[in-house]
Amino acid sequence: MKTFLNLSFRILLYLLAMLLLSALLALPLAPLFRPLQTLAYGPLLTSLLQRACMLVGALLPAWLLLKYDGCRPFSVLGLSLQGRVGDFLGGAFTALLLYLAGFTAVLLTGVVKVTAVHADAVSLCLSLLLMSLVAIAEEVAVRGYLLGRLLHAGVPRYTALCISAALFALMHLMNPHIGLLPLLNIFLAGCLLGVAYTYTRNLWFAIGLHLFWNWLQGPVLGFEVSGADFGTTLFTLQPMKGDLLTGGFFGFEGSLICTVATLLAIVSVDLYLRQKRNVNGVPPVMQA
């Protein structure tokens, strides 16, 4: 019980420190936000500044708590790139497969139609950078620190995975148009993002998956991303209402197709890594 309370306190302390530091860093930048909104890519630039603050807010408390509380090196978060380019590409490819299958399904069923195409390279590049900041910050916080500390404390792998995924879902509780199905799908997405980390203790598969999950869903395909609208997108879709197949106003993450696709992806990634571990004779938990 004492160990559990200590672990809970550390996790709560980290989350509070992350939120507070992110807010404090963004405060001096607040006067810039209104003028930026008047520029052509103002909303994206504003979001970039806010997410940069969030990234620092995720990294600095993790470094301090690891160093001065647990006496553990920063490297245990799993950001080492050495030999991990394939992991990043694997995550990106997994996201591509998910959205290729999901988008094809909604097109074939006729519940979604593409009404226009806008090839805005600047917007796509800025949104890719934005989604990179989002992916790294959230993966450092939820998988690198929270899931990592749970596993280090001896919590069973799948229990730790579910706890971190539940916290990940709760972080989206105030998103626009949230509901039970979107929360379930975000929980499942958290499991998918975390399953590789439980084997490798490295974040780059999750970062690649998270980055391209968001970027393909919103700026490319034209869905909302977890209920948020990111402005100009490559494809413009017909207005979507609360449809279980499309996700409605919440975006693809609120759809039943996303539920099925994410469950299949979780099982596939877990089985692949389990088989790879058994063939290579690698222990279940590896250092980054």
Side-chain angles (χ1 to χ4, degrees):
M1 177 61 71
K2 184 178 179 180
T3 302
F4 175 77
L5 290 175
N6 287 338
L7 179 61
S8 300
F9 173 75
R10 289 189 179 96
I11 289 175
L12 180 61
L13 180 62
Y14 171 74
L15 291 174
L16 290 175
M18 178 183 69
L19 293 173
L20 180 60
L21 181 58
S22 299
L24 289 174
L25 290 171
L27 193 60
L29 299 175
L32 296 175
F33 293 160
R34 188 179 292 257
L36 278 177
Q37 294 293 324
T38 63
L39 301 178
Y41 300 102
L44 278 175
L45 294 173
T46 301
S47 295
L48 277 169
L49 289 175
Q50 292 171 333
R51 294 300 181 168
C53 294
M54 182 180 172
L55 177 57
V56 177
L59 287 169
L60 187 56
W63 174 69
L64 289 173
L65 285 171
L66 287 170
K67 183 175 181 180
Y68 295 106
D69 182 33
C71 297
R72 291 170 63 77
F74 185 74
S75 60
V76 300
L77 283 176
L79 285 172
S80 172
L81 261 174
Q82 185 175 2
R84 297 296 179 178
V85 175
D87 288 358
F88 177 82
L89 295 176
F93 183 67
T94 301
L96 179 62
L97 284 180
L98 277 167
Y99 277 98
L100 184 62
F103 194 60
T104 300
V106 295
L107 284 177
L108 290 177
T109 56
V111 295
V112 162
K113 293 181 181 178
V114 177
T115 59
V117 178
H118 304 279
D120 188 335
V122 175
S123 179
L124 286 172
C125 289
L126 286 175
S127 62
L128 184 63
L129 178 57
L130 172 62
M131 296 308 179
S132 299
L133 295 177
V134 172
I136 296 173
E138 293 188 2
E139 291 313 309
V140 164
V142 181
R143 258 60 65 175
Y145 189 84
L146 300 184
L147 179 55
R149 294 321 92 216
L150 289 167
L151 293 169
H152 178 66
V155 178
R157 180 190 303 159
Y158 294 119
T159 302
L161 186 61
C162 288
I163 292 172
S164 66
L167 290 171
F168 183 62
L170 289 175
M171 288 170 62
H172 295 77
L173 197 57
M174 302 306 293
N175 285 32
H177 312 296
I178 195 69
L180 289 178
L181 185 57
L183 275 176
L184 171 63
N185 285 342
I186 293 174
F187 168 80
L188 293 175
C191 291
L192 176 58
L193 288 164
V195 67
Y197 184 85
T198 65
Y199 286 92
T200 66
R201 292 297 200 275
N202 189 275
L203 290 173
W204 286 105
F205 176 87
I207 290 172
L209 174 57
H210 199 151
L211 162 57
F212 285 96
W213 174 294
N214 286 342
W215 190 65
L216 290 171
Q217 178 181 192
V220 175
L221 295 179
F223 291 100
E224 279 74 13
V225 180
S226 300
D229 185 352
F230 284 89
T232 303
T233 60
L234 180 61
F235 295 152
T236 299
L237 306 179
Q238 66 182 11
M240 291 177 297
K241 300 180 181 179
D243 193 294
L244 290 178
L245 288 179
T246 65
F249 295 121
F250 192 80
F252 187 72
E253 292 169 353
S255 69
L256 286 173
I257 293 175
C258 180
T259 308
V260 174
T262 308
L263 279 170
L264 290 173
I266 293 169
V267 174
S268 299
V269 171
D270 188 49
L271 288 176
Y272 170 77
L273 290 173
R274 184 187 298 273
Q275 183 180 34
K276 184 177 179 181
R277 180 198 68 193
N278 294 336
V279 169
N280 295 337
V282 180
V285 173
M286 300 179 288
Q287 293 299 321

